[in-house]
Amino acid sequence: MSAPRSSGYFRTRYERDFALVDTRTQKASLAVFAVILAAYPFVAGPFALDLANQVLLASVGAVALMLLTGYAGQISLGHAGLLAAGAFTTGILFKELAAPFWVTLPASAAVGALLGLVFGLPSLRLRGLYLAVSTLALHFIVIYLGSEYETKRGFSTGVVIDPPQLFGRALSDARAWYFVLLGASIAAVLFSLNLLRARTGRAWRAIHGREAVAEALGISVPRAKLSAFVVSSTLTSVAGCLFAYYRGFVSVEAFSMFLTIQYVAMVIIGGMGSILGALLGSVFVVLFPYAIEAAMAALGLAEDLSGVVFAINYAAFGLAMILFLVFEPQGLVGLWRRAQNWFLLWPFRQKPLSGSK
Amino acid sequence: MQLAVNILVLASIYALISCGYVLIYRVSRVLTLAHGELMMLGAYGLYASASLFAGHPLIALAASALVALAVGFAVYGALMWRMTGESVLAAVLATIALGILLRGAMVLAFGTQTLHPLDMLGWTNYSIPLGGARISVASLALVLCNAAAYAGLFAFLRATRWGIRMRAAGQNPLLAAQRGIGLHGIYALAWGLATFTGGLAGMLLACDAGLESTLVTIGLKAFPAALVGGLDSLLGALVGALIIAGAEVLLIYYVDPLLSDVVPFIVLLAMLVVRPWGLFGSKEELDRV
């Protein structure tokens, strides 16, 4: 599904077809957006900065899951396990070998790639539900290994990690973190966008559409599936490594099933099959609990309900997910596209053909 | 001997919970991941009715069982019927979302401390000797209830009109609908029965060990039992529960207590590699590559 666009725009050269950003409006709005992103940490307070960092951190994992679920169509319920794998690789290397950032990051990526292969192997035999269940099982196994490490080595509450050294100085300032995470997020998005229009990404979409046809077109289905798992879990594991450094603390409690559900929710709420959707979804899911809290404060209920904030969050989050699943299966991207359409066509209104999506 | 009793009790717990997974999957091809929460809701239902009908434990039990049945119908009527015809992922996610919603709502309604519905019913949990081992009354009740539930379900599916309709709907929804079977009614009934048995398991567990939020984990751990036995076979759920419970109790006893949460899933993975359709499941049901 391409973005709606007014008429009068034609591509006249092949390079224009390859360009990620092609119209002048897109370029201008992207430039404005870049300026806003760059200026944000100098304007925002410490709390808003932390929120932005959390969103950026989540966006890397969400993009990774979007590649796997939204594009390649492979269901995974083991996302928190993969994040935990990256975080624990970092934590263990740091604790046992005092390894620097430049070692832990590639090591996490390698562990992620290996786990992706292991997580992906069931996908060669299983589909749909059964695949989801096998990734769920792997989640529990990774968490078990993590908690085994914690108890056996005596870090029963978790592993504390010092801030990483980048170019000779410790990365402890929130503003510096913002730029590191922004860089990571942009790198993940650009990598994914480029991968998706290349051979690999097109193969993923093909196996999502219909495996038999994809195979008939000469796509190696096992290879496409495994590559989707490996790429996605490598990216996720790197996000886990960044997560460990950003929090400065690794513990199995942080990687519960709920985290997996949150990431899946980012993909669903954002909108399947769209990188923009993954970004919008991560903004929505990360900010959601804070919005609830703010709403409670605005209603003057914060004191009465302070003990049950997490329960309210759970309930509201579940409700939001249900509402999206039932009423807007295309997610925030669907809403965004419809708003664009509305403005493009105004004062006329488009009525979608019945049966079209 | 004590080990054997422990295995039997744990297997009954898993079997009683996992027949809900099997019922719903067999009839409507939806995997529910909200079963743990629905089970806990049943237990809280018992707590609520015990405080409402204080002094009349039997009325309280009956009321809470009816509430569990009604909750199952309500879940289908309010949410799951919208998911018929949607993708597998959407339906599973809807149940996950429902689970989170229920979990939050239950904490809001009942708080987080451990509750003891059995005390509120005015009964106490004895431990009785049984051939060299000990078993609590609540556990014994659980084993008996499980046997009764399975016997009832088998009879229901084999002999009654609605049971046969349910099997027909599970085998081929289109043909069943063409023969005049109302699918929505059947699906709602499956949800109702599943929630009823799950709720029963939750109530008995809460009577035995107290009612707290960790009950959800047991619900999730019962899921491998259903899958090992074959997701569309009730007999399979029974056997699967026995296998999972045996592996779990023995490994905890001989190897490492930390393993308790992970054993069911290791067995599950092994099963998925060797025989993904489970011990008693039908092979062609599995959407294979």
Side-chain angles (χ1 to χ4, degrees):
Chain A
M1 188 167 79
S2 65
R5 197 171 270 165
S6 51
S7 62
Y9 168 76
F10 304 104
R11 287 172 182 157
T12 46
R13 301 158 121 218
Y14 281 120
E15 294 93 81
R16 299 287 292 274
D17 251 355
F18 294 130
L20 281 175
V21 203
D22 52 2
T23 63
R24 218 171 289 150
T25 329
Q26 278 182 347
K27 276 181 197 158
S29 49
L30 196 69
V32 171
F33 189 56
V35 169
I36 293 174
L37 279 182
Y40 182 80
F42 302 100
V43 183
F47 178 65
L49 198 54
D50 179 54
L51 282 187
N53 284 349
Q54 285 185 39
V55 169
L56 290 171
L57 196 54
S59 70
V60 180
V63 165
L65 189 62
M66 184 60 88
L67 289 182
L68 185 65
T69 306
Y71 285 97
Q74 309 297 309
I75 303 172
S76 165
L77 292 178
H79 213 60
L82 287 169
L83 280 170
F88 268 95
T89 308
T90 304
I92 290 170
L93 283 177
F94 176 80
K95 268 286 174 224
E96 305 296 330
L97 307 170
F101 185 64
W102 299 118
V103 175
T104 56
L105 190 72
S108 301
V111 168
L114 188 69
L115 275 177
L117 209 58
V118 176
F119 270 51
L121 281 177
S123 75
L124 301 183
R125 293 194 68 193
L126 309 169
R127 259 200 288 194
L129 219 63
Y130 287 81
L131 178 62
V133 170
S134 71
T135 54
L136 186 67
L138 281 155
H139 162 85
F140 280 97
I141 290 172
V142 170
I143 295 301
Y144 164 72
L145 292 176
S147 60
E148 189 78 347
Y149 172 78
E150 277 185 7
T151 41
K152 289 283 144 66
R153 295 283 296 144
F155 309 120
S156 51
T157 51
V159 183
V160 180
I161 299 175
D162 294 341
Q165 300 283 328
L166 275 185
F167 307 113
R169 43 189 285 240
L171 190 61
S172 51
D173 175 32
R175 202 171 284 166
W177 262 114
Y178 175 83
F179 286 107
V180 170
L181 292 174
L182 183 64
S185 181
I186 290 175
V189 168
L190 282 181
F191 170 74
S192 309
L193 284 178
N194 275 317
L195 199 65
L196 283 173
R197 49 188 196 153
R199 191 190 177 93
T200 323
R202 295 202 307 270
W204 291 349
R205 286 189 215 200
I207 59 166
H208 188 185
R210 193 164 284 265
E211 278 175 24
V213 177
E215 194 142 29
L217 289 172
I219 292 166
S220 159
V221 173
R223 214 173 98 182
K225 279 187 176 177
L226 281 186
S227 66
F229 269 97
V230 168
V231 167
S232 163
S233 55
T234 308
L235 213 53
T236 311
S237 204
V238 167
C241 169
L242 290 173
F243 180 92
Y245 276 119
Y246 182 67
R247 287 285 160 85
F249 185 69
V250 181
S251 143
V252 282
E253 275 81 51
F255 303 100
S256 59
M257 264 311 286
F258 187 59
L259 191 68
T260 299
I261 296 170
Q262 277 187 313
Y263 273 95
V264 174
M266 287 177 202
V267 174
I268 294 289
I269 291 176
M272 284 292 217
S274 156
I275 294 291
L276 177 67
L279 300 179
L280 290 177
S282 52
V283 172
F284 183 91
V285 171
V286 170
L287 296 189
F288 189 73
Y290 296 99
I292 295 281
E293 222 166 290
M296 285 192 327
L299 290 172
L301 297 169
E303 280 84 36
D304 307 339
L305 299 175
S306 58
V308 289
V309 170
F310 81 97
I312 293 178
N313 271 334
Y314 260 59
F317 187 67
L319 197 63
M321 239 173 115
I322 289 178
L323 290 180
F324 266 100
L325 278 169
V326 173
F327 295 110
E328 185 51 271
Q330 303 207 17
L332 292 171
V333 167
L335 287 178
W336 168 243
R337 295 263 153 84
R338 245 187 282 152
Q340 275 181 317
N341 251 332
W342 192 85
F343 280 109
L344 266 180
L345 296 176
W346 193 86
F348 304 107
R349 287 187 52 188
Q350 183 204 21
K351 250 198 176 155
L353 294 171
S354 62
S356 74
K357 278 207 171 172
Chain B
M1 190 61 197
Q2 187 64 52
L3 273 183
V5 169
N6 287 352
I7 290 176
L8 182 67
V9 170
L10 193 63
S12 301
I13 294 171
Y14 284 163
L16 195 51
I17 301 169
S18 62
C19 75
Y21 287 112
V22 172
L23 267 177
I24 291 176
Y25 184 79
R26 177 167 168 167
V27 176
S28 66
R29 293 284 172 268
V30 168
L31 172 68
T32 163
L33 288 180
H35 206 55
E37 281 84 0
L38 286 173
M39 175 185 111
M40 214 162 110
L41 196 63
Y44 276 119
L46 177 63
Y47 175 80
S49 69
S51 53
L52 195 64
F53 299 106
H56 304 283
L58 290 177
I59 297 178
L61 271 178
S64 58
L66 279 180
V67 165
L69 196 63
V71 163
F73 286 127
V75 165
Y76 184 77
L79 173 67
M80 290 316 293
W81 72 272
R82 293 170 192 277
M83 290 293 143
T84 34
E86 296 273 345
S87 69
V88 175
L89 184 63
V92 174
L93 283 173
T95 63
I96 291 180
L98 176 71
I100 298 175
L101 176 63
L102 285 178
R103 215 183 288 187
M106 280 187 287
V107 173
L108 279 181
F110 296 101
T112 47
Q113 68 270 56
T114 309
L115 304 172
H116 295 281
L118 196 66
D119 299 344
M120 298 202 46
L121 287 172
W123 291 336
T124 38
N125 200 3
Y126 297 106
S127 173
I128 49 174
L130 188 83
R134 302 192 75 78
I135 183 170
S136 69
V137 175
S139 305
L140 194 62
L142 211 149
V143 176
L144 295 177
C145 259
N146 179 42
Y150 269 85
L153 277 176
F154 275 119
F156 172 72
L157 287 174
R158 290 284 137 112
T160 65
R161 189 174 280 262
W162 277 92
I164 292 167
R165 284 181 190 164
M166 203 176 246
R167 272 161 53 206
Q171 263 174 14
N172 192 329
L174 187 65
L175 276 183
Q178 280 176 343
R179 301 299 295 173
I181 295 175
L183 288 183
H184 281 309
I186 298 287
Y187 290 164
L189 185 62
W191 273 91
L193 283 178
T195 313
F196 174 72
T197 49
L200 210 58
M203 290 172 207
L204 291 163
L205 268 174
C207 284
D208 197 20
L211 177 51
E212 52 181 349
S213 53
T214 48
L215 217 55
V216 173
T217 326
I218 300 180
L220 200 59
K221 275 162 67 184
F223 169 65
L227 210 139
V228 164
L231 259 180
D232 57 349
S233 154
L234 272 180
L235 181 67
L238 215 50
V239 177
L242 207 57
I243 292 174
I244 298 275
E248 186 174 339
V249 169
L250 293 177
L251 278 174
I252 288 174
Y253 187 74
Y254 289 110
V255 186
D256 185 359
L258 260 184
L259 278 167
S260 98
D261 278 351
V262 78
V263 168
F265 290 97
I266 294 176
V267 178
L268 169 73
L269 262 190
M271 200 64 197
L272 281 176
V273 170
V274 183
R275 207 179 145 91
W277 55 94
L279 287 174
F280 293 88
S282 34
K283 195 172 174 181
E284 62 277 1
E285 294 295 335
L286 182 60
D287 189 13
R288 290 199 51 194
V289 182

